[in-house]
Amino acid sequence: MSIGKEKLMAKQNIFLIGFMASGKSTVGEILAGKLQRKFFDTDKLIEGKAGLSIAQIFQEKGESHFREIEADTVKFVTNKNQAVIALGGGAILDSQNWQMIKSAGYTIYLQWDINLLVPRLMNDDSRPLISQRIKNLNKTEIIKLFNSRKNLYESADYSIKCFETDSPDQITNTIIKLLQLENEKNTCYSRT
Ligand code: S3P
């Protein structure tokens, strides 16, 4: 597939957003490779900064401490140029974060049916929002958490509908096609 990297939209960064387990990190890394851009993953940056895993930060310091480091990390990544960034599922909840993200590049929501994500999440110990409350957090509650964020996710510039049969590579190619269309649109505008 010819990507036409040099032409791919000048608008700065590409932010992948979405609920936990939607594949933002995997797709982000592949996308960055294909576009030859730098890749940042806010959760990885946070873990590096804290010297602790996300689960340990939640357990030892609490969610509010995690959200503080996350806000600093969002500031850091929004100052990047032409990068691909995978954001933690809750990074967009803070309105200041969201404003900074929106003005620093394209936001792309990896949109999954929540019923496909629930089984992935139920078996995952690394996600403290789920695992700390796992005994009480049943499917209905995960869906409730998702529904409380859904509108915000859907306010991204673009939503990519993802299906069970989609590989991360296929999702990446869909994003690239979308960005190429965006680039063509901008090229047209600049010629008139
Ligand atoms: C969170 C999502 C996680 C991580 C943290 C909180 C959330 O990232 O940042 O556990 O609030 O949705 P992923 O979306 O990469 O799992």
Side-chain angles (χ1 to χ4, degrees), residues 18-21 24-25 41 43 46 54 58 63 66-67 70 87-91 93 126-129 149 153:
F19 203 56
M20 292 169 272
K24 298 168 301 248
S25 304
D41 180 326
D43 281 349
I46 293 167
I54 301 289
F58 269 73
E63 180 172 351
F66 169 80
R67 296 297 175 199
E70 185 172 58
L87 293 165
L93 297 176
S126 69
R127 291 188 164 87
L129 275 188
R149 297 175 172 187
Y153 290 144

Side-chain angles (χ1 to χ4, degrees), residues 88-170:
I92 64 162
L93 297 176
D94 177 277
S95 60
Q96 265 187 335
N97 285 358
W98 190 220
Q99 261 181 340
M100 279 191 290
I101 293 161
K102 290 281 261 181
S103 56
Y106 287 103
T107 49
I108 300 181
Y109 168 39
L110 300 189
Q111 183 178 31
W112 289 85
D113 181 329
I114 186 62
N115 292 303
L116 294 174
L117 298 182
V118 168
R120 294 190 193 177
L121 289 168
M122 300 292 275
N123 296 319
D124 188 341
D125 285 343
S126 69
R127 291 188 164 87
L129 275 188
I130 305 296
S131 62
Q132 274 180 8
R133 288 149 48 182
I134 196 76
K135 289 196 181 66
N136 304 317
L137 203 67
N138 57 31
K139 184 177 169 177
T140 315
E141 284 164 318
I142 295 177
I143 292 174
K144 215 164 122 192
L145 182 64
F146 171 77
N147 284 338
S148 70
R149 297 175 172 187
K150 194 170 173 279
N151 286 349
L152 204 48
Y153 290 144
E154 287 175 358
S155 65
D157 295 318
Y158 303 102
S159 294
I160 303 283
K161 268 196 187 301
C162 303
F163 301 95
E164 213 170 2
T165 48
D166 290 344
S167 68
D169 204 55
Q170 283 169 318

Side-chain angles (χ1 to χ4, degrees), residues 38-94:
K38 285 204 170 140
F39 174 62
F40 297 93
D41 180 326
T42 55
D43 281 349
K44 289 274 169 304
L45 290 169
I46 293 167
E47 288 182 329
K49 196 167 175 182
L52 296 169
S53 70
I54 301 289
Q56 285 169 326
I57 302 172
F58 269 73
Q59 203 173 10
E60 292 174 22
K61 317 232 165 169
E63 180 172 351
S64 59
H65 183 74
F66 169 80
R67 296 297 175 199
E68 278 169 28
I69 314 179
E70 185 172 58
D72 285 345
T73 309
V74 166
K75 260 188 217 129
F76 173 77
V77 293
T78 49
N79 279 321
K80 297 291 163 197
N81 254 314
Q82 303 280 318
V84 174
I85 296 138
L87 293 165
I92 64 162
L93 297 176
D94 177 277

